[in-house]
Amino acid sequence: AKEIVMAEPVLMEKEADVTTITLNRPESGNRQTDATWAKVTEMFDAASKQSRVILFKGAGDDFCLGREAMGQQPPNPLEAYAVRDRSETIFNLYGAFRNARTPIIGVVQGRAVGLGCALAALCDITIASDTARFSFPETAHRIMPTIAFSALVDRVPRKAATFMMYSAQEIDAHKALTFGLASDVVAANDLDSTVATLLEHLKKMPLAAVLALKEYARVAFGMSTQGATDFARNLHATVNSFSGMRS
């Protein structure tokens, strides 16, 4: 009898203090069920506690085409509280990205669609191949996409976010760079080496500095200028006087 071995939908690998989380359903564009997205949240929470950096990738040609059930309506309309419970899975996932104490580096090749595009935006640094494509197609599926929109409020300018949400149009990697969805765009053949170079730099940084930059970035952009300055003053003095910065 032929034995069929199903691959794990998401892989988590740890090498020293670098954790790589890979969406591993290339045959379906790395779409995942809500149950799997809940597991991804747990993976990020766990990796955050024991890593210096988290690398987030998608296997195959595309980064991630989003939720398994995107555009599908439940057979019976749900009451508001049930809808809220269902969406909580995704808000919790967003929270894992925002609250991770370690930086998250996203690596985007091919398409990043819907939830996949939101997660690309939520990474602290997003390196995109010049073949990458980004879109929020929800309004074309009669979905009002405030969940995805909420991922962008502290990531991209208002004009960029409203254009993507209302138009449902796909944008290329270079436009994603101007929109703030990506940090850098490189030739597809250079994607892995670019990420490897960045990782090597982060490995050489004192761990305290790696974590402090994320601590600052997590809240500073939402603070008043005075508050952000005062927080910088204190964090700078604390971290740069720490003995671990000199070892």
PDB file of all heavy atoms in Angstrom, residues 75-104:
ATOM      1  N   PRO A  75     -21.890  28.555   6.337  1.00  0.00           N
ATOM      2  CA  PRO A  75     -23.203  28.133   5.844  1.00  0.00           C
ATOM      3  C   PRO A  75     -24.348  28.864   6.529  1.00  0.00           C
ATOM      4  O   PRO A  75     -25.376  29.151   5.905  1.00  0.00           O
ATOM      5  CB  PRO A  75     -23.238  26.627   6.140  1.00  0.00           C
ATOM      6  CG  PRO A  75     -22.122  26.383   7.118  1.00  0.00           C
ATOM      7  CD  PRO A  75     -21.107  27.439   6.875  1.00  0.00           C
ATOM      8  N   ASN A  76     -24.200  29.161   7.805  1.00  0.00           N
ATOM      9  CA  ASN A  76     -25.210  29.929   8.529  1.00  0.00           C
ATOM     10  C   ASN A  76     -24.572  31.221   9.028  1.00  0.00           C
ATOM     11  O   ASN A  76     -23.480  31.185   9.605  1.00  0.00           O
ATOM     12  CB  ASN A  76     -25.740  29.131   9.727  1.00  0.00           C
ATOM     13  CG  ASN A  76     -26.387  27.827   9.288  1.00  0.00           C
ATOM     14  OD1 ASN A  76     -27.271  27.845   8.436  1.00  0.00           O
ATOM     15  ND2 ASN A  76     -25.930  26.712   9.842  1.00  0.00           N
ATOM     16  N   PRO A  77     -25.227  32.349   8.803  1.00  0.00           N
ATOM     17  CA  PRO A  77     -24.650  33.618   9.260  1.00  0.00           C
ATOM     18  C   PRO A  77     -24.371  33.581  10.763  1.00  0.00           C
ATOM     19  O   PRO A  77     -25.170  33.070  11.550  1.00  0.00           O
ATOM     20  CB  PRO A  77     -25.747  34.643   8.927  1.00  0.00           C
ATOM     21  CG  PRO A  77     -26.558  34.012   7.838  1.00  0.00           C
ATOM     22  CD  PRO A  77     -26.524  32.537   8.115  1.00  0.00           C
ATOM     23  N   LEU A  78     -23.217  34.100  11.157  1.00  0.00           N
ATOM     24  CA  LEU A  78     -22.820  34.095  12.556  1.00  0.00           C
ATOM     25  C   LEU A  78     -23.308  35.350  13.264  1.00  0.00           C
ATOM     26  O   LEU A  78     -23.415  36.418  12.665  1.00  0.00           O
ATOM     27  CB  LEU A  78     -21.291  34.027  12.664  1.00  0.00           C
ATOM     28  CG  LEU A  78     -20.610  32.786  12.070  1.00  0.00           C
ATOM     29  CD1 LEU A  78     -19.098  32.939  12.137  1.00  0.00           C
ATOM     30  CD2 LEU A  78     -21.056  31.530  12.796  1.00  0.00           C
ATOM     31  N   GLU A  79     -23.606  35.196  14.549  1.00  0.00           N
ATOM     32  CA  GLU A  79     -23.907  36.362  15.366  1.00  0.00           C
ATOM     33  C   GLU A  79     -22.632  37.170  15.585  1.00  0.00           C
ATOM     34  O   GLU A  79     -21.514  36.662  15.459  1.00  0.00           O
ATOM     35  CB  GLU A  79     -24.472  35.911  16.723  1.00  0.00           C
ATOM     36  CG  GLU A  79     -25.814  35.209  16.636  1.00  0.00           C
ATOM     37  CD  GLU A  79     -26.971  36.177  16.402  1.00  0.00           C
ATOM     38  OE1 GLU A  79     -26.736  37.402  16.414  1.00  0.00           O
ATOM     39  OE2 GLU A  79     -28.100  35.699  16.202  1.00  0.00           O
ATOM     40  N   ALA A  80     -22.814  38.430  15.954  1.00  0.00           N
ATOM     41  CA  ALA A  80     -21.674  39.340  16.062  1.00  0.00           C
ATOM     42  C   ALA A  80     -20.596  38.820  17.004  1.00  0.00           C
ATOM     43  O   ALA A  80     -19.400  38.909  16.706  1.00  0.00           O
ATOM     44  CB  ALA A  80     -22.154  40.721  16.519  1.00  0.00           C
ATOM     45  N   TYR A  81     -20.994  38.264  18.151  1.00  0.00           N
ATOM     46  CA  TYR A  81     -19.993  37.804  19.102  1.00  0.00           C
ATOM     47  C   TYR A  81     -19.214  36.617  18.549  1.00  0.00           C
ATOM     48  O   TYR A  81     -18.010  36.472  18.813  1.00  0.00           O
ATOM     49  CB  TYR A  81     -20.638  37.440  20.445  1.00  0.00           C
ATOM     50  CG  TYR A  81     -20.928  38.650  21.292  1.00  0.00           C
ATOM     51  CD1 TYR A  81     -22.223  39.097  21.488  1.00  0.00           C
ATOM     52  CD2 TYR A  81     -19.886  39.365  21.887  1.00  0.00           C
ATOM     53  CE1 TYR A  81     -22.493  40.228  22.253  1.00  0.00           C
ATOM     54  CE2 TYR A  81     -20.134  40.490  22.654  1.00  0.00           C
ATOM     55  CZ  TYR A  81     -21.444  40.932  22.838  1.00  0.00           C
ATOM     56  OH  TYR A  81     -21.692  42.037  23.578  1.00  0.00           O
ATOM     57  N   ALA A  82     -19.860  35.766  17.774  1.00  0.00           N
ATOM     58  CA  ALA A  82     -19.175  34.634  17.153  1.00  0.00           C
ATOM     59  C   ALA A  82     -18.209  35.127  16.078  1.00  0.00           C
ATOM     60  O   ALA A  82     -17.098  34.600  15.937  1.00  0.00           O
ATOM     61  CB  ALA A  82     -20.183  33.660  16.552  1.00  0.00           C
ATOM     62  N   VAL A  83     -18.623  36.149  15.336  1.00  0.00           N
ATOM     63  CA  VAL A  83     -17.737  36.752  14.337  1.00  0.00           C
ATOM     64  C   VAL A  83     -16.504  37.320  15.026  1.00  0.00           C
ATOM     65  O   VAL A  83     -15.371  37.178  14.555  1.00  0.00           O
ATOM     66  CB  VAL A  83     -18.469  37.854  13.542  1.00  0.00           C
ATOM     67  CG1 VAL A  83     -17.495  38.613  12.641  1.00  0.00           C
ATOM     68  CG2 VAL A  83     -19.590  37.248  12.706  1.00  0.00           C
ATOM     69  N   ARG A  84     -16.727  37.971  16.167  1.00  0.00           N
ATOM     70  CA  ARG A  84     -15.609  38.572  16.892  1.00  0.00           C
ATOM     71  C   ARG A  84     -14.644  37.492  17.391  1.00  0.00           C
ATOM     72  O   ARG A  84     -13.429  37.654  17.307  1.00  0.00           O
ATOM     73  CB  ARG A  84     -16.128  39.412  18.065  1.00  0.00           C
ATOM     74  CG  ARG A  84     -15.083  40.374  18.595  1.00  0.00           C
ATOM     75  CD  ARG A  84     -15.672  41.457  19.442  1.00  0.00           C
ATOM     76  NE  ARG A  84     -16.132  40.976  20.733  1.00  0.00           N
ATOM     77  CZ  ARG A  84     -16.539  41.781  21.718  1.00  0.00           C
ATOM     78  NH1 ARG A  84     -16.555  43.084  21.531  1.00  0.00           N
ATOM     79  NH2 ARG A  84     -16.943  41.285  22.861  1.00  0.00           N
ATOM     80  N   ASP A  85     -15.188  36.382  17.899  1.00  0.00           N
ATOM     81  CA  ASP A  85     -14.330  35.283  18.344  1.00  0.00           C
ATOM     82  C   ASP A  85     -13.494  34.739  17.187  1.00  0.00           C
ATOM     83  O   ASP A  85     -12.309  34.425  17.345  1.00  0.00           O
ATOM     84  CB  ASP A  85     -15.167  34.157  18.949  1.00  0.00           C
ATOM     85  CG  ASP A  85     -15.679  34.491  20.341  1.00  0.00           C
ATOM     86  OD1 ASP A  85     -15.160  35.449  20.945  1.00  0.00           O
ATOM     87  OD2 ASP A  85     -16.612  33.809  20.806  1.00  0.00           O
ATOM     88  N   ARG A  86     -14.123  34.635  16.016  1.00  0.00           N
ATOM     89  CA  ARG A  86     -13.432  34.099  14.844  1.00  0.00           C
ATOM     90  C   ARG A  86     -12.294  35.029  14.416  1.00  0.00           C
ATOM     91  O   ARG A  86     -11.211  34.583  14.043  1.00  0.00           O
ATOM     92  CB  ARG A  86     -14.451  33.927  13.720  1.00  0.00           C
ATOM     93  CG  ARG A  86     -13.954  33.164  12.505  1.00  0.00           C
ATOM     94  CD  ARG A  86     -15.135  32.749  11.646  1.00  0.00           C
ATOM     95  NE  ARG A  86     -14.685  32.121  10.416  1.00  0.00           N
ATOM     96  CZ  ARG A  86     -14.879  32.637   9.212  1.00  0.00           C
ATOM     97  NH1 ARG A  86     -15.498  33.797   9.075  1.00  0.00           N
ATOM     98  NH2 ARG A  86     -14.462  32.013   8.138  1.00  0.00           N
ATOM     99  N   SER A  87     -12.558  36.326  14.478  1.00  0.00           N
ATOM    100  CA  SER A  87     -11.526  37.276  14.066  1.00  0.00           C
ATOM    101  C   SER A  87     -10.426  37.418  15.110  1.00  0.00           C
ATOM    102  O   SER A  87      -9.308  37.832  14.794  1.00  0.00           O
ATOM    103  CB  SER A  87     -12.150  38.641  13.771  1.00  0.00           C
ATOM    104  OG  SER A  87     -12.730  39.188  14.933  1.00  0.00           O
ATOM    105  N   GLU A  88     -10.724  37.024  16.355  1.00  0.00           N
ATOM    106  CA  GLU A  88      -9.736  37.158  17.415  1.00  0.00           C
ATOM    107  C   GLU A  88      -8.477  36.351  17.110  1.00  0.00           C
ATOM    108  O   GLU A  88      -7.371  36.723  17.508  1.00  0.00           O
ATOM    109  CB  GLU A  88     -10.346  36.718  18.756  1.00  0.00           C
ATOM    110  CG  GLU A  88      -9.739  37.375  19.977  1.00  0.00           C
ATOM    111  CD  GLU A  88      -9.937  38.883  19.995  1.00  0.00           C
ATOM    112  OE1 GLU A  88     -10.877  39.388  19.350  1.00  0.00           O
ATOM    113  OE2 GLU A  88      -9.131  39.560  20.651  1.00  0.00           O
ATOM    114  N   THR A  89      -8.648  35.249  16.395  1.00  0.00           N
ATOM    115  CA  THR A  89      -7.498  34.435  15.993  1.00  0.00           C
ATOM    116  C   THR A  89      -6.472  35.278  15.249  1.00  0.00           C
ATOM    117  O   THR A  89      -5.266  35.174  15.483  1.00  0.00           O
ATOM    118  CB  THR A  89      -7.959  33.270  15.087  1.00  0.00           C
ATOM    119  OG1 THR A  89      -8.862  32.449  15.815  1.00  0.00           O
ATOM    120  CG2 THR A  89      -6.777  32.431  14.618  1.00  0.00           C
ATOM    121  N   ILE A  90      -6.955  36.125  14.354  1.00  0.00           N
ATOM    122  CA  ILE A  90      -6.047  36.935  13.539  1.00  0.00           C
ATOM    123  C   ILE A  90      -5.503  38.111  14.341  1.00  0.00           C
ATOM    124  O   ILE A  90      -4.313  38.447  14.236  1.00  0.00           O
ATOM    125  CB  ILE A  90      -6.739  37.402  12.252  1.00  0.00           C
ATOM    126  CG1 ILE A  90      -7.296  36.194  11.477  1.00  0.00           C
ATOM    127  CG2 ILE A  90      -5.775  38.195  11.378  1.00  0.00           C
ATOM    128  CD1 ILE A  90      -6.270  35.126  11.149  1.00  0.00           C
ATOM    129  N   PHE A  91      -6.342  38.737  15.150  1.00  0.00           N
ATOM    130  CA  PHE A  91      -5.837  39.828  15.993  1.00  0.00           C
ATOM    131  C   PHE A  91      -4.753  39.317  16.954  1.00  0.00           C
ATOM    132  O   PHE A  91      -3.765  40.008  17.218  1.00  0.00           O
ATOM    133  CB  PHE A  91      -6.976  40.487  16.784  1.00  0.00           C
ATOM    134  CG  PHE A  91      -7.856  41.361  15.936  1.00  0.00           C
ATOM    135  CD1 PHE A  91      -9.229  41.135  15.872  1.00  0.00           C
ATOM    136  CD2 PHE A  91      -7.339  42.416  15.202  1.00  0.00           C
ATOM    137  CE1 PHE A  91     -10.043  41.940  15.096  1.00  0.00           C
ATOM    138  CE2 PHE A  91      -8.148  43.229  14.425  1.00  0.00           C
ATOM    139  CZ  PHE A  91      -9.513  42.986  14.366  1.00  0.00           C
ATOM    140  N   ASN A  92      -4.922  38.095  17.459  1.00  0.00           N
ATOM    141  CA  ASN A  92      -3.896  37.499  18.330  1.00  0.00           C
ATOM    142  C   ASN A  92      -2.593  37.264  17.554  1.00  0.00           C
ATOM    143  O   ASN A  92      -1.495  37.452  18.095  1.00  0.00           O
ATOM    144  CB  ASN A  92      -4.388  36.179  18.923  1.00  0.00           C
ATOM    145  CG  ASN A  92      -5.462  36.376  19.966  1.00  0.00           C
ATOM    146  OD1 ASN A  92      -5.610  37.460  20.522  1.00  0.00           O
ATOM    147  ND2 ASN A  92      -6.238  35.339  20.231  1.00  0.00           N
ATOM    148  N   LEU A  93      -2.739  36.836  16.292  1.00  0.00           N
ATOM    149  CA  LEU A  93      -1.568  36.632  15.440  1.00  0.00           C
ATOM    150  C   LEU A  93      -0.835  37.956  15.221  1.00  0.00           C
ATOM    151  O   LEU A  93       0.391  38.036  15.353  1.00  0.00           O
ATOM    152  CB  LEU A  93      -2.013  36.024  14.111  1.00  0.00           C
ATOM    153  CG  LEU A  93      -0.934  35.807  13.053  1.00  0.00           C
ATOM    154  CD1 LEU A  93       0.126  34.823  13.538  1.00  0.00           C
ATOM    155  CD2 LEU A  93      -1.576  35.314  11.749  1.00  0.00           C
ATOM    156  N   TYR A  94      -1.590  39.006  14.901  1.00  0.00           N
ATOM    157  CA  TYR A  94      -0.982  40.335  14.750  1.00  0.00           C
ATOM    158  C   TYR A  94      -0.257  40.730  16.035  1.00  0.00           C
ATOM    159  O   TYR A  94       0.841  41.295  15.998  1.00  0.00           O
ATOM    160  CB  TYR A  94      -2.048  41.386  14.450  1.00  0.00           C
ATOM    161  CG  TYR A  94      -2.694  41.308  13.091  1.00  0.00           C
ATOM    162  CD1 TYR A  94      -3.748  42.171  12.764  1.00  0.00           C
ATOM    163  CD2 TYR A  94      -2.294  40.401  12.119  1.00  0.00           C
ATOM    164  CE1 TYR A  94      -4.353  42.129  11.521  1.00  0.00           C
ATOM    165  CE2 TYR A  94      -2.913  40.338  10.885  1.00  0.00           C
ATOM    166  CZ  TYR A  94      -3.940  41.217  10.589  1.00  0.00           C
ATOM    167  OH  TYR A  94      -4.548  41.166   9.364  1.00  0.00           O
ATOM    168  N   GLY A  95      -0.885  40.438  17.172  1.00  0.00           N
ATOM    169  CA  GLY A  95      -0.290  40.792  18.456  1.00  0.00           C
ATOM    170  C   GLY A  95       1.038  40.097  18.687  1.00  0.00           C
ATOM    171  O   GLY A  95       1.961  40.679  19.262  1.00  0.00           O
ATOM    172  N   ALA A  96       1.144  38.848  18.227  1.00  0.00           N
ATOM    173  CA  ALA A  96       2.405  38.117  18.393  1.00  0.00           C
ATOM    174  C   ALA A  96       3.531  38.809  17.639  1.00  0.00           C
ATOM    175  O   ALA A  96       4.674  38.860  18.107  1.00  0.00           O
ATOM    176  CB  ALA A  96       2.241  36.674  17.902  1.00  0.00           C
ATOM    177  N   PHE A  97       3.220  39.362  16.470  1.00  0.00           N
ATOM    178  CA  PHE A  97       4.228  40.101  15.700  1.00  0.00           C
ATOM    179  C   PHE A  97       4.576  41.413  16.399  1.00  0.00           C
ATOM    180  O   PHE A  97       5.752  41.766  16.532  1.00  0.00           O
ATOM    181  CB  PHE A  97       3.697  40.408  14.298  1.00  0.00           C
ATOM    182  CG  PHE A  97       3.868  39.273  13.323  1.00  0.00           C
ATOM    183  CD1 PHE A  97       3.128  38.106  13.454  1.00  0.00           C
ATOM    184  CD2 PHE A  97       4.768  39.375  12.269  1.00  0.00           C
ATOM    185  CE1 PHE A  97       3.287  37.066  12.556  1.00  0.00           C
ATOM    186  CE2 PHE A  97       4.930  38.334  11.368  1.00  0.00           C
ATOM    187  CZ  PHE A  97       4.194  37.175  11.519  1.00  0.00           C
ATOM    188  N   ARG A  98       3.558  42.122  16.854  1.00  0.00           N
ATOM    189  CA  ARG A  98       3.788  43.442  17.462  1.00  0.00           C
ATOM    190  C   ARG A  98       4.516  43.319  18.807  1.00  0.00           C
ATOM    191  O   ARG A  98       5.334  44.169  19.147  1.00  0.00           O
ATOM    192  CB  ARG A  98       2.464  44.156  17.692  1.00  0.00           C
ATOM    193  CG  ARG A  98       1.726  44.534  16.424  1.00  0.00           C
ATOM    194  CD  ARG A  98       0.529  45.418  16.768  1.00  0.00           C
ATOM    195  NE  ARG A  98      -0.348  45.625  15.636  1.00  0.00           N
ATOM    196  CZ  ARG A  98      -0.100  46.462  14.641  1.00  0.00           C
ATOM    197  NH1 ARG A  98       1.012  47.165  14.635  1.00  0.00           N
ATOM    198  NH2 ARG A  98      -0.959  46.606  13.643  1.00  0.00           N
ATOM    199  N   ASN A  99       4.189  42.277  19.565  1.00  0.00           N
ATOM    200  CA  ASN A  99       4.671  42.185  20.944  1.00  0.00           C
ATOM    201  C   ASN A  99       5.924  41.347  21.111  1.00  0.00           C
ATOM    202  O   ASN A  99       6.481  41.292  22.214  1.00  0.00           O
ATOM    203  CB  ASN A  99       3.562  41.620  21.840  1.00  0.00           C
ATOM    204  CG  ASN A  99       2.330  42.507  21.842  1.00  0.00           C
ATOM    205  OD1 ASN A  99       2.434  43.727  21.765  1.00  0.00           O
ATOM    206  ND2 ASN A  99       1.150  41.891  21.907  1.00  0.00           N
ATOM    207  N   ALA A 100       6.378  40.687  20.044  1.00  0.00           N
ATOM    208  CA  ALA A 100       7.592  39.880  20.150  1.00  0.00           C
ATOM    209  C   ALA A 100       8.734  40.748  20.670  1.00  0.00           C
ATOM    210  O   ALA A 100       8.910  41.879  20.228  1.00  0.00           O
ATOM    211  CB  ALA A 100       7.955  39.288  18.787  1.00  0.00           C
ATOM    212  N   ARG A 101       9.505  40.221  21.592  1.00  0.00           N
ATOM    213  CA  ARG A 101      10.607  41.030  22.137  1.00  0.00           C
ATOM    214  C   ARG A 101      11.792  41.024  21.189  1.00  0.00           C
ATOM    215  O   ARG A 101      12.718  41.818  21.325  1.00  0.00           O
ATOM    216  CB  ARG A 101      11.005  40.528  23.527  1.00  0.00           C
ATOM    217  CG  ARG A 101      11.873  39.348  23.535  1.00  0.00           C
ATOM    218  CD  ARG A 101      12.284  38.795  24.873  1.00  0.00           C
ATOM    219  NE  ARG A 101      13.153  37.667  24.591  1.00  0.00           N
ATOM    220  CZ  ARG A 101      14.400  37.532  25.037  1.00  0.00           C
ATOM    221  NH1 ARG A 101      14.911  38.428  25.834  1.00  0.00           N
ATOM    222  NH2 ARG A 101      15.126  36.495  24.697  1.00  0.00           N
ATOM    223  N   THR A 102      11.788  40.130  20.207  1.00  0.00           N
ATOM    224  CA  THR A 102      12.876  40.043  19.233  1.00  0.00           C
ATOM    225  C   THR A 102      12.413  40.583  17.881  1.00  0.00           C
ATOM    226  O   THR A 102      11.228  40.532  17.561  1.00  0.00           O
ATOM    227  CB  THR A 102      13.301  38.579  19.039  1.00  0.00           C
ATOM    228  OG1 THR A 102      12.132  37.817  18.723  1.00  0.00           O
ATOM    229  CG2 THR A 102      13.923  38.005  20.268  1.00  0.00           C
ATOM    230  N   PRO A 103      13.343  41.095  17.067  1.00  0.00           N
ATOM    231  CA  PRO A 103      12.955  41.557  15.731  1.00  0.00           C
ATOM    232  C   PRO A 103      12.537  40.390  14.840  1.00  0.00           C
ATOM    233  O   PRO A 103      13.064  39.277  14.964  1.00  0.00           O
ATOM    234  CB  PRO A 103      14.217  42.242  15.201  1.00  0.00           C
ATOM    235  CG  PRO A 103      15.338  41.609  15.965  1.00  0.00           C
ATOM    236  CD  PRO A 103      14.787  41.281  17.316  1.00  0.00           C
ATOM    237  N   ILE A 104      11.589  40.657  13.964  1.00  0.00           N
ATOM    238  CA  ILE A 104      11.101  39.660  13.001  1.00  0.00           C
ATOM    239  C   ILE A 104      11.483  40.133  11.605  1.00  0.00           C
ATOM    240  O   ILE A 104      11.140  41.256  11.207  1.00  0.00           O
ATOM    241  CB  ILE A 104       9.574  39.486  13.106  1.00  0.00           C
ATOM    242  CG1 ILE A 104       9.185  38.993  14.504  1.00  0.00           C
ATOM    243  CG2 ILE A 104       9.072  38.514  12.033  1.00  0.00           C
ATOM    244  CD1 ILE A 104       7.690  39.046  14.781  1.00  0.00           C
TER     245      ILE A 104
END
